Amino acid sequence: MKPIVITSLDDARVQVFGRLTEAQLKTCRDATTGAPICQVQSSGEGLFIAESPKVIRVALDAGLQPVSLLCEEKHITGDASDIICRLPDDVPVYTGERQLLAQLTGYTLTRGVLCAMCRPQLPTVEDVCQDARRIVVIHGVCDTTNIGAIFRSAAALGIDAVLLTPDSCDPLNRRAVRVSMGTVFLEPWTWLPDASLSAFSSVTGCAAVGTSSLLRHLGFKTAAMALTDVSIPLDAPELKAEPRLALIMGTEGDGLPHSAIAEADYTVRIPMQHSVDSLNVAAAAAVAFWELR
């Protein structure tokens, strides 16, 4: 398809790249029919934005469905040329002057390429955990940079899956995707049910239980990363000996709630020096993944 030149910030065809919030992207619908934009068997509803040629290539390799592409004119025959060749014929490619695109998106496109893509249909908790030996539970982490960094470390250091509590940041947030370098498309992940866990209960026959109890039912021991009087060091032999282990990570400020710590099989700390008591959650996750991989 021949690239479509955008000359106005009011062009409705490219509003998805700069004028819609993350929440609006999740519920994008066709302006004419009112139907969800992404309504194919392999995709969920709503959109997300992948940014930079490298991240877009990873997403395409992972089988995600592109909806439209926006890039600077110079990248049509440059950094984005191979991506454009991979797009289905019905996926429009929009372009325009660098200054205009910067006004639309709110920042200069340093890598010059954005792709709107369908959000994938997520697996169930049971499916994600089925063959996993090491998983991480992200509990209430709201910082997009931390989410992206945790996913990148998880993919690089042998973590088999990621579970997130509903109050955590969306891994398909634009910045989280960018920081992860596309590993959110490679690492199996899904959302944990709400506190009642009613959706999971209908599958397993369990009564409403907490996260650790849910994972215990699936064959995991849980290790809450927290500073307490009974925390064991990260290099404790019993942790490495566990055939299936779930690490539970909380925010670096408030940490994990007391209920999550009390329910876990282990409470774990990273031994430190110079009176430093904690690390940024993304850094702590990388250390823990490496030690317990």
Side-chain angles (χ1 to χ4, degrees):
M1 175 179 287
K2 183 179 180 181
I4 301 167
V5 179
I6 298 300
T7 59
S8 170
L9 296 178
D10 297 324
D11 195 314
R13 294 171 295 181
V14 293
Q15 296 307 294
V16 65
F17 293 105
R19 299 295 174 85
L20 300 185
T21 66
E22 292 289 337
Q24 290 171 326
L25 285 171
K26 290 182 183 180
T27 57
C28 264
R29 291 181 174 269
D30 186 278
T32 302
T33 66
I37 288 181
C38 297
Q39 203 171 32
V40 297
Q41 188 173 5
S42 60
S43 299
E45 295 183 5
L47 302 176
F48 71 93
I49 304 297
E51 180 180 337
S52 87
K54 181 174 182 178
V55 170
I56 295 169
R57 292 186 191 106
V58 174
L60 292 174
D61 289 344
L64 275 78
Q65 178 188 359
V67 173
S68 59
L69 189 83
L70 175 70
C71 67
E72 295 178 30
E73 292 175 323
K74 67 178 181 180
H75 292 306
I76 293 175
T77 56
D79 289 348
S81 59
D82 64 307
I83 295 172
I84 293 172
C85 288
R86 296 178 62 180
L87 298 178
D89 292 339
D90 59 347
V91 173
V93 176
Y94 301 109
T95 189
E97 295 181 356
R98 183 181 180 89
Q99 184 177 1
L100 180 70
L101 298 189
Q103 292 178 55
L104 172 67
T105 61
Y107 56 91
T108 300
L109 301 180
T110 54
R111 290 177 175 81
V113 190
L114 297 174
C115 188
M117 310 190 87
C118 290
R119 297 178 68 88
Q121 186 69 48
L122 295 179
T124 65
V125 173
E126 192 172 48
D127 288 341
V128 163
C129 293
Q130 185 173 5
D131 298 318
R133 293 185 63 253
R134 293 288 185 267
I135 67 175
V136 61
V137 176
I138 300 177
H139 197 301
V141 176
C142 299
D143 184 271
T144 55
T145 300
N146 284 336
I147 292 291
I150 291 172
F151 265 85
R152 190 174 182 181
S153 294
L157 300 175
I159 296 300
D160 299 314
V162 180
L163 301 177
L164 301 100
T165 58
D167 55 345
S168 294
C169 171
D170 181 9
L172 294 180
N173 172 283
R174 184 184 301 193
R175 181 167 178 78
V177 170
R178 183 170 71 249
V179 172
S180 82
M181 294 302 294
T183 54
V184 294
F185 313 129
L186 306 177
E187 187 76 5
W189 68 273
T190 196
W191 297 102
L192 283 161
D194 289 329
S196 66
L197 302 178
S198 55
F200 191 83
S201 299
S202 64
V203 175
T204 64
C206 292
V209 291
T211 297
S212 286
S213 296
L214 181 157
L215 293 172
R216 202 172 293 121
H217 179 83
L218 294 175
F220 288 87
K221 290 294 184 67
T222 55
M225 301 294 294
L227 297 174
T228 72
D229 293 337
V230 297
S231 296
I232 63 174
L234 182 63
D235 57 359
E238 57 264 47
L239 293 175
K240 295 184 180 182
E242 290 291 353
R244 306 186 81 192
L245 187 67
L247 288 169
I248 306 176
M249 314 287 301
T251 63
E252 59 184 295
D254 298 331
L256 290 170
H258 294 300
S259 57
I261 297 171
E263 190 188 21
D265 297 295
Y266 300 101
T267 307
V268 182
R269 60 179 170 79
I270 299 175
M272 300 186 197
Q273 301 180 35
H274 299 295
S275 300
V276 177
D277 63 358
S278 64
L279 296 173
N280 165 274
V281 64
V287 172
F289 297 166
W290 170 256
E291 182 66 27
L292 297 174
R293 69 196 185 285

